[in-house]
Amino acid sequence: MNTAFYIASAVAIAASIMVVSRKNAFSALLYMIISLLSVALIFYLLGAAFIAALEIIIYAGAIMVLFVFVVMMLNLGEESVEQEKEWMKGGTWIGPTILCLILAGETVFILAGSEMHNTISQEIPPARVGLALFGPYVIAVELAGLLLTAGIIGAYHLGKRKKIIHHRYLKGGRT
Amino acid sequence: MIEIPVEHGLMIAAVLFLIGLAGALIRRNFVYILLSIEIMLNAAGFAFVLAGARWLQPEGQVMFIFILTMAAAEVSIGLALILRIYHKFKSLDSDKADKIKG
């Protein structure tokens, strides 16, 4: 089972690298789904089966479908791939990549050098999660509800198109 | 289930986060920037779940649920903004949208 963890992590990292380096938005989205599924597998192996299910249902299901809809609405075709190639050409990506590689190397070096703490994962049942969620963290749950309400109102407000009424006398007048 | 050093999990979370950060820095297309932010949020949630598994406490999973909620709200607003910007500028270039006023 330990090998499964490392294989899933390698898949997640490889898929994430593909997400940030693809030029076609759709293939990036599909790689993102692979990355999320492998992270869900890691969660399952860590004993968080409920969180793994949530990851698949909400992240890979709902949020990615939202992305797919928007990419379809934007009608990104061949010219957007050309545009991406144009943007990536100048070598502007080298600087941030090197800096992030340095940071990643440093983090891995420090963590590899420190004393290892073996953890034996054990299933934490969803009942305990629910009890914690609606016990000590109930205020945070209400705040999350408030955040979602704000999200709905904001998305509605931003998505609303201004109606243009072409009146016979007031051409192009807005109401 | 599995027995791994918790440091290995933290390394993976850090690497995933830095991939997302690099993506958010190097891409100019709004869709990719939002996707990179999703990778970063996912990596942060992974670190939380890992810590919860390490100490056998449900708090890590609770925090992941909050991160999930936040990501959902953030994505809906972000995608609505992307559609709005696309209609206004006819482009997804983040450099073109630096004059957001008006």
Side-chain angles (χ1 to χ4, degrees), chain A residues 34-105:
Chain A
I34 295 176
S35 166
L36 292 172
L37 288 180
S38 48
V39 173
L41 179 61
I42 295 174
F43 286 165
Y44 177 73
L45 289 173
L46 283 173
F50 178 56
I51 295 297
L54 276 188
E55 171 104 0
I56 294 174
I57 294 168
I58 298 180
Y59 252 124
I63 294 179
M64 284 301 124
V65 165
L66 214 61
F67 267 104
V68 168
F69 274 143
V70 168
V71 169
M72 280 157 81
M73 273 172 86
L74 294 176
N75 254 335
L76 303 173
E78 291 289 317
E79 63 266 33
S80 78
V81 178
E82 291 299 315
Q83 179 79 58
E84 288 289 329
K85 271 184 194 154
E86 191 69 29
W87 281 341
M88 296 288 263
K89 212 185 274 171
T92 44
W93 56 277
I94 297 173
T97 312
I98 289 174
L99 291 181
C100 286
L101 272 178
I102 291 170
L103 276 180

Side-chain angles (χ1 to χ4, degrees), chain A residues 19-20 24-33 36 55 57-76, chain B residues 24 27 29-42 68 70-83 92:
Chain A
V19 170
V20 297
N24 192 332
F26 251 108
S27 47
L29 282 174
L30 294 177
Y31 275 117
M32 182 75 193
I33 291 175
L36 292 172
E55 171 104 0
I57 294 168
I58 298 180
Y59 252 124
I63 294 179
M64 284 301 124
V65 165
L66 214 61
F67 267 104
V68 168
F69 274 143
V70 168
V71 169
M72 280 157 81
M73 273 172 86
L74 294 176
N75 254 335
L76 303 173
Chain B
R27 302 307 294 241
N29 190 326
F30 274 118
V31 176
Y32 290 95
I33 293 175
L34 211 55
L35 266 177
S36 308
I37 292 172
E38 287 303 304
I39 296 177
M40 283 155 74
L41 283 175
N42 202 31
L68 203 67
M70 203 267 292
E74 177 247 331
V75 158
S76 63
I77 297 279
L79 288 175
L81 273 174
I82 285 176
L83 284 178
L92 287 172

Side-chain angles (χ1 to χ4, degrees), chain A residues 127-148:
Chain A
R128 274 183 74 195
V129 179
L131 278 176
L133 204 57
F134 287 94
Y137 294 104
V138 71
I139 298 282
V141 172
E142 298 200 1
L143 283 176
L146 207 66
L147 182 72
L148 282 176

